[in-house]
Amino acid sequence: MLTGSGAARDKRDKRRSKPTRSTRTDKPATRGLRATFGSLAERNYRLFFTGQVVSNIGIWMQRIAQDWLVFTLTGNDPMALGIAAALQFVPTLLFSLWAGVLADRLDKRKLLIGLRFGILGCALVLGLLDITGLVQLWQVYLLCVVLGTFSAVETPVRQSFVIEMVGRDQVPNAVALNSAIFNLARIVGPAVAGFTITWIGTGWVFLVTAVLTVAVIIGLLLMDPAKLYRSPQVDREPGQLREGLRYVRGRPDIRAVLALVFFVSTFGMTFFTSLAIAAANVFGRDADSYGLLSTLLAVGTLTGAIVAARRSAKGKPRLRLMFAAALLFGLLEIVVGVMPSYLAFGLALIPVGAALMTFTTAANSTVQLAVSPEMRGRVMGLYMLVFLGGNPIGGLLTGWLADTFGGRSPFLVGGAIAALAAIVVATHTYLRGRKRARV
């Protein structure tokens, strides 16, 4: 049952989603362009999108600079680099669910502004310590934990804020465009960081990142709160986290999505580790070749995100699209694992990235559209925990497989698990649907 304001908001969404006469008479290319970037019709989302384009480039620059700083401080110790990555990731396991509770309780826009100031502060402090020559390894580790904490809370809040900027009809499109700018930054950011570090040093890269973060804050401040499609805020009460978990337990459709996301992300999406192993141990290449493999994968994910944005104009994402994309991703990853040459291996990563982005976009949009508005923050917190929480398991498994069976094995095993999970979850969902129909 919709409340008065909810019904009005739903009608407003429907009115905005109807094509105008001028849209129907546009040329096909124009209609396709509008379909691809449909959610940018909302001014609030345009402000957010623009800030994210700039800020995401800064985030990737900061990641590269942070890794290089740790290497510099420790004499190129890979273990120290692994510790820094783990310290930044651990808060995701600890705070993602509670971040979802905060997203349901508080004004998401104001909460994001505060969190972005915290992220900006981490880059600013690390940059000042670096350029003054006072930086030490323990300080970098401490700031990794602080930055990881802010990011762990910010991600579920930002994910659940998307629907408030664009409305229900444009959620798949907005999620796809968010993925597109993330992967565009993934291509541009490291390249800019490498040049900038060589030119002016890591400290100034952190300060540039702090300045770029301001773009998101300005976009959030310039938004018109009256034009947001607000979800109802939940009053603070004990047991709200358990309530969110009970809600998911009672939704078999959401459980199916989360289960498939866990298996694909944990065992299939191990590229940060597996690509480095393949470049060095399988093909005997150097770091620049590893970077090229990452770029080719990012080209695929960017392409997949743009295609997903265009496809979103045809309606809500369907479960069968998500299952098909997961199955295709798994099969393509197996193909990558048997490619005989470095060039063939790299080119095969492009369709893998496209299939992966189709899957993740469909899964994210499906969950956001399926949940009750007052539960969206908590469910997205659980989604991000499932999406990222298996990374330590996947990383350890990747290392063990590569050491025991060779550098190709993580792609073969990870792809097989992803494909098998897609088949099992899809079959279970189909049989459950038939059973409900008979009942």
Side-chain angles (χ1 to χ4, degrees):
M1 181 69 68
L2 289 174
T3 63
S5 61
R9 188 164 53 245
D10 189 59
K11 290 180 181 178
R12 182 173 60 181
D13 285 358
K14 291 180 179 178
R15 284 200 305 270
R16 295 188 180 190
S17 66
K18 293 180 180 178
T20 62
R21 180 173 300 175
S22 61
T23 302
R24 289 194 296 269
T25 57
D26 279 342
K27 295 179 181 180
T30 305
R31 290 201 301 269
L33 189 63
R34 290 186 177 182
T36 303
F37 299 98
S39 54
L40 292 177
E42 295 285 348
R43 176 180 178 273
N44 284 337
Y45 183 68
R46 286 200 305 273
L47 292 168
F48 177 81
F49 181 88
T50 304
Q52 285 290 106
V53 170
V54 176
S55 178
N56 278 334
I57 292 175
I59 289 173
W60 280 101
M61 290 176 63
Q62 182 172 353
R63 288 182 180 180
I64 299 300
Q66 179 180 286
D67 290 349
W68 194 258
L69 178 60
V70 171
F71 259 11
T72 302
L73 293 174
T74 61
N76 295 355
D77 183 359
M79 182 62 69
L81 189 61
I83 293 173
L87 290 174
Q88 193 164 323
F89 174 77
V90 166
T92 300
L93 298 175
L94 300 177
F95 301 118
S96 289
L97 293 177
W98 292 107
V101 175
L102 290 177
D104 287 333
R105 286 179 183 173
L106 304 176
D107 185 310
K108 298 179 183 63
R109 185 180 71 94
K110 294 180 180 179
L111 185 55
L112 284 172
I113 292 172
L115 291 168
R116 282 289 176 169
F117 270 115
I119 293 172
L120 182 155
C122 290
L124 182 62
V125 170
L126 186 54
L128 292 175
L129 287 172
D130 195 359
I131 64 174
T132 56
L134 300 176
V135 66
Q136 299 180 35
L137 184 61
W138 70 268
Q139 296 167 338
V140 180
Y141 283 165
L142 177 60
L143 287 169
C144 283
V145 175
V146 177
L147 177 61
T149 301
F150 281 123
S151 299
V153 179
E154 190 264 354
T155 302
V157 177
R158 171 167 42 84
Q159 293 281 346
S160 57
F161 185 54
V162 170
I163 195 171
E164 294 192 6
M165 291 184 285
V166 301
R168 291 182 58 85
D169 291 344
Q170 291 290 351
V171 164
N173 181 262
V175 170
L177 289 181
N178 286 346
S179 300
I181 59 177
F182 176 82
N183 286 285
L184 177 62
R186 184 179 176 182
I187 297 172
V188 176
V192 175
F195 172 77
T196 310
I197 291 171
T198 303
W199 183 36
I200 56 178
T202 54
W204 289 103
V205 173
F206 296 126
L207 297 182
V208 170
T209 300
V211 173
L212 295 180
T213 305
V214 175
V216 177
I217 298 174
I218 292 175
L220 291 167
L221 290 172
L222 291 177
M223 286 183 182
D224 185 353
K227 293 184 179 180
L228 291 173
Y229 302 79
R230 290 196 181 274
S231 302
Q233 292 186 16
V234 178
D235 294 332
R236 181 174 182 176
E237 295 178 357
Q240 288 179 324
L241 179 57
R242 292 192 300 271
E243 181 185 9
L245 296 176
R246 285 196 299 268
Y247 175 82
V248 172
R249 188 174 60 186
R251 292 290 304 272
D253 54 337
I254 298 177
R255 293 204 314 269
V257 176
L258 294 178
L260 186 54
V261 166
F262 173 79
F263 281 103
V264 172
S265 63
T266 300
F267 302 104
M269 294 170 53
T270 60
F271 299 111
F272 283 111
T273 305
S274 59
L275 290 184
I277 294 172
N281 296 352
V282 176
F283 300 107
R285 299 296 184 108
D286 296 326
D288 57 342
S289 298
Y290 163 54
L292 179 58
L293 292 180
S294 298
T295 299
L296 290 171
L297 179 66
V299 169
T301 53
L302 176 61
T303 303
I306 294 174
V307 172
R310 184 182 179 88
R311 186 189 300 112
S312 65
K314 299 179 181 179
K316 298 178 180 179
R318 298 185 177 183
L319 284 176
R320 64 186 181 188
L321 172 64
M322 184 189 70
F323 293 138
L327 175 61
L328 180 61
F329 165 73
L331 295 177
L332 288 174
E333 188 171 15
I334 294 174
V335 172
V336 167
V338 298
M339 285 292 102
S341 67
Y342 172 81
L343 178 60
F345 184 93
L347 293 177
L349 287 172
I350 297 177
V352 167
L356 175 60
M357 190 50 57
T358 301
F359 165 71
T360 55
T361 301
N364 189 307
S365 302
T366 298
V367 171
Q368 291 219 44
L369 293 173
V371 301
S372 300
E374 65 275 8
M375 288 288 179
R376 185 170 292 114
R378 279 166 282 185
V379 174
M380 291 310 297
L382 180 59
Y383 177 91
M384 295 311 300
L385 177 62
V386 170
F387 186 73
L388 299 174
N391 284 1
I393 300 173
L396 292 173
L397 178 64
T398 298
W400 178 78
L401 286 172
D403 184 58
T404 306
F405 301 104
R408 297 180 181 272
S409 59
F411 300 94
L412 301 175
V413 175
I417 292 176
L420 181 61
I423 294 172
V424 171
V425 176
T427 302
H428 174 75
T429 302
Y430 172 73
L431 294 177
R432 179 176 54 80
R434 291 197 60 180
K435 180 178 180 181
R436 290 182 60 186
R438 287 197 302 268
V439 173

